[in-house]
Amino acid sequence: MDAIEVGVLGATGMVGQRFVSLLARHPWFRLTWLAASERSVGKAYKTVAPWKLNTPIPGGSAERMVNACLPGRGPKVVFSGLDASVAGEIEGAFAAAGHVVVSNARNFRMDPLVPLLIPEINADHLKLIAEQRKSKNWKGAIVTNPNCSTIVLAMALAPLRQFNIRAVVVSTMQATSGAGYPGVPSLDILGNVIPFIGGEEEKMQTETLKILGGDGGRAPYPAVVSAHTNRVAVIDGHTMTVSVAFENRPAISAIVDAMTHFSGRPQELWLPSAPQPPLVVTDAPDRPQPRLDADLGGGMAVTIGRVRECPVMHAKFVALGHNTVRGAAGAAILNAELMHAEGMLQ
Amino acid sequence: MDAIEVGVLGATGMVGQRFVSLLARHPWFRLTWLAASERSVGKAYKTVAPWKLNTPIPGGSAERMVNACLPGRGPKVVFSGLDASVAGEIEGAFAAAGHVVVSNARNFRMDPLVPLLIPEINADHLKLIAEQRKSKNWKGAIVTNPNCSTIVLAMALAPLRQFNIRAVVVSTMQATSGAGYPGVPSLDILGNVIPFIGGEEEKMQTETLKILGGDGGRAPYPAVVSAHTNRVAVIDGHTMTVSVAFENRPAISAIVDAMTHFSGRPQELWLPSAPQPPLVVTDAPDRPQPRLDADLGGGMAVTIGRVRECPVMHAKFVALGHNTVRGAAGAAILNAELMHAEGMLQ
Amino acid sequence: MDAIEVGVLGATGMVGQRFVSLLARHPWFRLTWLAASERSVGKAYKTVAPWKLNTPIPGGSAERMVNACLPGRGPKVVFSGLDASVAGEIEGAFAAAGHVVVSNARNFRMDPLVPLLIPEINADHLKLIAEQRKSKNWKGAIVTNPNCSTIVLAMALAPLRQFNIRAVVVSTMQATSGAGYPGVPSLDILGNVIPFIGGEEEKMQTETLKILGGDGGRAPYPAVVSAHTNRVAVIDGHTMTVSVAFENRPAISAIVDAMTHFSGRPQELWLPSAPQPPLVVTDAPDRPQPRLDADLGGGMAVTIGRVRECPVMHAKFVALGHNTVRGAAGAAILNAELMHAEGMLQ
Amino acid sequence: MDAIEVGVLGATGMVGQRFVSLLARHPWFRLTWLAASERSVGKAYKTVAPWKLNTPIPGGSAERMVNACLPGRGPKVVFSGLDASVAGEIEGAFAAAGHVVVSNARNFRMDPLVPLLIPEINADHLKLIAEQRKSKNWKGAIVTNPNCSTIVLAMALAPLRQFNIRAVVVSTMQATSGAGYPGVPSLDILGNVIPFIGGEEEKMQTETLKILGGDGGRAPYPAVVSAHTNRVAVIDGHTMTVSVAFENRPAISAIVDAMTHFSGRPQELWLPSAPQPPLVVTDAPDRPQPRLDADLGGGMAVTIGRVRECPVMHAKFVALGHNTVRGAAGAAILNAELMHAEGMLQ
């Protein structure tokens, strides 16, 4: 099989850096094109990316010249780590021009014709693309992945849909890498907690229902989510406490069982980035912890712990996922892998 | 007015250090007696206390000889920062011998005849003492303050009792000073979150109801509390997100109003350690934060922020308090101040 | 005595915030004027200052309108916490217009006619001002304090001048508050060390010699300083290890003695911000530590520990000072206090 | 080639955990035996090791029964991560009984007949073993690696021996994983620096000279080292600033050149754990940094940055190495690899 050429929009940012790192040795995709904002164009990637990963810039990208974010250039398949302030316009232009944009930006997530995809949960939402193309008159397409904290929550809830979830109260403890670079000032987070992340609670409360919903997400899942989002002094890994109420209260053992055996299309298809299993359910009393567990499954697994009765709702537990791998770049790459496996990247 | 002599049991621990620091310039109490475990007895306090506060050991205590925790010695009024493993036996012996033990330990908190006191909330629970003395045949008495995270929650909920609280889901982000010294290993908390604190969730779920309850706490408040407790990389200050459901849903403005105007016996009596006001309600979008707000009111105020609708429960907000001042040593001192003002320390 | 009205240039920055906080209850100075950059002008201080201190904005300043940095307005005495990019021009204009500018900015520090003042060390450098006025044709004057890390080093070295210092190798571990706000991104400092601070090593290597020098600093002290400067995950307090070689090697006990008994004009004059003593020499084996010792003497004392033989140089020790109090705003206020005591603010 | 069976003494500690992790997929060694203190004996490894690495316990070790540290049992080759309080006696007994003990403990490091080995620097020190066996009447042998901070320093200095090093002043910023578990309490290191590590300065000042010395280390290198050792809030990676004086001052470019081209026996022999190159010299202005660079070369490379003139000594730079890989378990494994390549493990 020939490798599929791919590019990255917004390659110098924190999510862009993860794309560059994760795509360096990808079995299907070959990264040949990097694009970023005006001030980086024409310069070698290593001179303009404020690289913050603890592995060196991959050899193939370090010296690569950065391009402008102009549609029609670059490979057909482009990953987008663009900032929301510019992603709407640029991604739309790329899709119109025939590119398949696999985006991490929030701009199109809630568009009723754009899949908000987590391949383990709603691989069938890809069917929206046909209508998307027709309705928007795009030669290409846009597929999005959810917000970093939403992905972790949705992964934890997906196996519980069989019990008819009615309400969820979630409180997050989120890593600073989720805010990009320079992002959170050190004076705000050293020895501190910031109990607010702009727009994050709304995203968790709405995106989750589209993801879990039917008909390509056009029929939102009939539950209510209430989110408290907080920033803590962690580099990578969003931890969250979750209380859930159901239509029919399941036994705790049934919940653990459903989570433990949860699996989806990526696992069936053995997609390269698919974690096996997608949910790691631990019975350690004090886990998951971001420093110890965020990298499980190459950063693509979500870890669940402390599943127990909730005296107010029905069940409660702790969930953790790597926010820039499973929660961003890795999520988009898994989306592209699914599309390729389904023959949608040709 | 002559100063009342007081002592501290467990003076070398983290809570004991706060007692020593806060009592150094107290207008009513004079600290004249320090007691700790066997290995410290007979030694100067400064040579055995692993002092971890950012103010020096007060002059009056630095050279003071440490005594054994033996009843009958020392002043009538003793504060207890003893570890729970020994507090039960020692505090009981002191009370039997005629001491008034103002304790921060958990051992007697849920005893139906021992006040679990937050003077702003349940000053009337002190009436339990008469029955306590008779029933236990104690010449002295024991009064306790709640667990550090429970105090913050109870303070936030107290003004909402008028709306008939039905259910509370709380998720904490707690400072490491709450775990004592050496306490939490740095390898467990640097860049990390530990989603478990032994026994803490049970304390929040039961102590809160006794505190808010009637008849000296013998009629627990008729609500249900579900707690998720987490440790984060903060030195002082427990932050928590709280969702509350009521019998009759109040407007958010009514909740803010009730919190803003909340006041109790300590404020009426202008007790020396009473914060004015006890609850600081902020409208900043990203507060309270432990680094910036834990010291408000000399560490005795609880700060509330982000009061807003909860789509699952009715209202949600963030609460913060200083865990070793309002949540431990300062709480006990306020208890003693109330008792003195009510003529119970003579 | 009537209070002297003072103002603050650059009032919204981190150093400016310290000025506002420290001047709130000053016995001699009354803060009546706040100035900052264009985008803050005409707005209430509390709405434009990203307040990062753990005490609230003082009542007198919270609602105060922010002015433009225009000379001729505001009180005669102004403290400057301006950024170096604008301080040169603005401070010069203020001095020309008759203001006494007590500055923390670096721009005029190495000007041969501007005192680089640490009142304990070189109070006599104030005599430069007469020549400064004449030569620059200024009606007012400029006095500066050193860089935050330089102050700590100079304070530690000052009492050792009697032994004829020849060479100093210093390696710092500096707090993030020294970099202002937003300053150091959290991704750069959480669980990390940054072994570089732009321009800092040069400042330590040159400013120190001017401070310790004679003839108003025009005859630099005849020693050589080599600095390694590093940023660590600390909020307040610069710690540094220092190795020193002397012309005539003193005994360690003589060094400890000289440091312990060090004192200067601020102590003689009992200036309001003068720490008594200015150097706290500890014999604890593991001190000073920023979290425990930075606030000594109201943040104005420098703490020294671990004074011992250096097998390469002659002696070595650890020094610590609060970088935004003794190292910035508090230093400037002490300078102004000295000038007032010497009759130079009338 | 058949795999060589190896065991680990002190397998549950922090260094022991690194041994277990690094040996899990070693091409030459097969880990078949784990030993630890009495309270772990007879239990499954995963139930007694407080695992603190961010990768799961390797499958082959998780369920393995822990043995007592008794000589004569287990494989001929044993790695030792024992605590110094017990290592002397146990390692001696193992060597006497015929085991080859590849130790990370400090007890035998300065023994004149025990190699203090860094294979890139002093592979020839292995010749001590013949005399060691004869003199101590051991059937086996002991080989040690240096203290974690010493290794980083010695690696940086080794290529400079050609310029005749005379004096070194080093100031470290060390990670908390070097102190084991529970090790450094979080209250001591969050937002703090501890300018003292017991015994560490002496080790750096003496071990370095033995390592760089001739005649198996019996002729210490004729230089003087002065160390300041500090603990900072970092998990893995010791950073240090170094100033060096030479007999004949080399140009900075000659130093960079010597470091860049430094190589030794492990590189010649392509030992499995040998980093290629052993020293990574960076010209980035603000590197090395522990979060970004400690893992280079699989944690076995030492990174050097900011090589420049020192106005007091001759040259100065920053060095960084991973303290539990290159500085402990990885160092011992490289030692064993060298011994195997030299035919000394048969």
Side-chain angles (χ1 to χ4, degrees), chain B residues 14 52 176-177 180-182 184-190 233-235, chain D residues 14 52 176-177 180-182 184-190 233-235:
Chain B
M14 292 312 290
K52 295 294 160 191
T176 63
S177 63
Y181 185 85
V184 182
S186 56
L187 285 178
D188 283 337
I189 204 67
L190 280 173
V234 166
I235 291 283
Chain D
M14 291 312 291
K52 295 294 160 189
T176 62
S177 62
Y181 185 84
V184 182
S186 57
L187 285 179
D188 283 338
I189 205 66
L190 280 173
V234 166
I235 292 283

Side-chain angles (χ1 to χ4, degrees), chain D residues 83-140:
Chain D
D83 188 79
S85 61
V86 298
E89 196 173 346
I90 295 175
E91 291 179 7
F94 270 74
H99 294 273
V100 175
V101 181
V102 187
S103 173
N104 180 63
R106 71 159 186 266
N107 307 61
F108 286 98
R109 283 181 195 153
M110 295 306 293
D111 185 310
L113 295 180
V114 172
L116 183 54
L117 196 65
I118 299 180
E120 281 90 345
I121 303 177
N122 59 12
D124 60 304
H125 287 200
L126 278 177
K127 70 184 177 194
L128 283 178
I129 286 180
E131 192 179 338
Q132 176 193 111
R133 284 184 165 138
K134 195 160 64 178
S135 168
K136 295 184 184 282
N137 200 22
W138 284 348
K139 280 180 256 170

Side-chain angles (χ1 to χ4, degrees), chain A residues 21 24 48 63 76 110 115 145 173 187 238 249-250 292 308:
Chain A
S21 176
V48 291
E63 306 290 344
K76 179 178 171 191
M110 296 305 292
N145 60 262
M173 292 166 283
L187 286 178
H238 288 354
R249 181 180 199 149
L292 300 179
R308 62 206 193 283

